[in-house]
């Protein structure tokens, strides 16, 4: 996948995530939790950029297992970071209900789908 194609896809994914967050935050019970959604969009965009550059580099390495290790490592990092963010948010903000997590998971899903697509393209060369 070319760098231009990656950033085009990242821009589209970020727009979709922002639109989804905007739609969710129009609901009164979720509206005050927009900092979590904004933070998630920024975090996942940054992780996607890192994953693209490191994945692209390791896909061309002599050791083909390195690419797989990087992919698994980034996936684990993303999952653990996400869980940590949710736990910290619960402890600090103490939301009244659990609906605040809906936009977070939609954003997570959008970036995960995008990462899956671009990593497949990076792996193919």
């Amino acid at each position: 996948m070319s760098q231009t194609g990656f950033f085009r896809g990242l821009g589209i994914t970020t727009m979709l995530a922002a639109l989804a967050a905007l739609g969710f935050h129009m609901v009164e019970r979720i509206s005050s939790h927009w900092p979590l959604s904004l933070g998630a969009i920024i975090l996942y965009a940054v992780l996607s950029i890192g994953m693209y550059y490191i994945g692209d580099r390791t896909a061309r390495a002599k050791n083909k297992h390195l690419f797989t290790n990087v992919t698994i490592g980034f996936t684990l990092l993303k999952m653990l970071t996400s869980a940590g963010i949710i736990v910290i948010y619960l402890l600090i903000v103490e939301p009244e209900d659990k609906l605040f997590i809906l936009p977070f998971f939609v954003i997570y899903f959008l970036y995960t789908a995008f990462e899956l697509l671009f990593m497949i393209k990076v792996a193919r060369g």
Side-chain angles (χ1 to χ4, degrees):
M1 172 177 245
S2 71
Q3 191 172 353
T4 305
F6 167 77
F7 280 104
R8 183 179 310 122
L10 181 63
I12 291 168
T13 302
T14 301
M15 264 196 319
L16 289 173
L19 288 172
L22 183 63
F24 274 112
H25 293 293
M26 289 183 172
V27 176
E28 187 176 335
R29 290 172 58 188
I30 303 174
S31 64
S32 64
H33 302 289
W34 65 266
L36 180 64
S37 297
L38 179 61
I41 290 170
I42 293 168
L43 171 70
Y44 296 143
V46 169
L47 283 175
S48 292
I49 292 169
M51 190 175 201
Y52 171 74
Y53 282 114
I54 294 172
D56 187 51
R57 188 172 212 184
T58 58
R60 292 182 273 123
K62 289 180 183 178
N63 181 356
K64 294 301 177 188
H65 297 290
L66 192 57
F67 177 78
T68 304
N69 292 342
V70 165
T71 303
I72 292 170
F74 263 100
T75 302
L76 183 61
L77 173 68
K78 185 176 167 189
M79 288 172 52
L80 291 175
T81 302
S82 298
I85 288 169
I86 294 298
V87 168
I88 290 169
Y89 192 81
L90 279 168
L91 293 173
I92 292 173
V93 177
E94 298 177 356
E96 293 176 18
D97 59 32
K98 307 299 183 222
L99 284 179
F100 76 93
I101 208 153
L102 286 175
F104 185 86
F105 278 132
V106 168
I107 293 165
Y108 180 90
F109 173 76
L110 288 170
Y111 280 96
T112 300
F114 170 63
E115 288 166 5
L116 176 66
L117 292 173
F118 81 72
M119 289 303 276
I120 289 170
K121 290 180 180 181
V122 165
R124 289 184 183 159

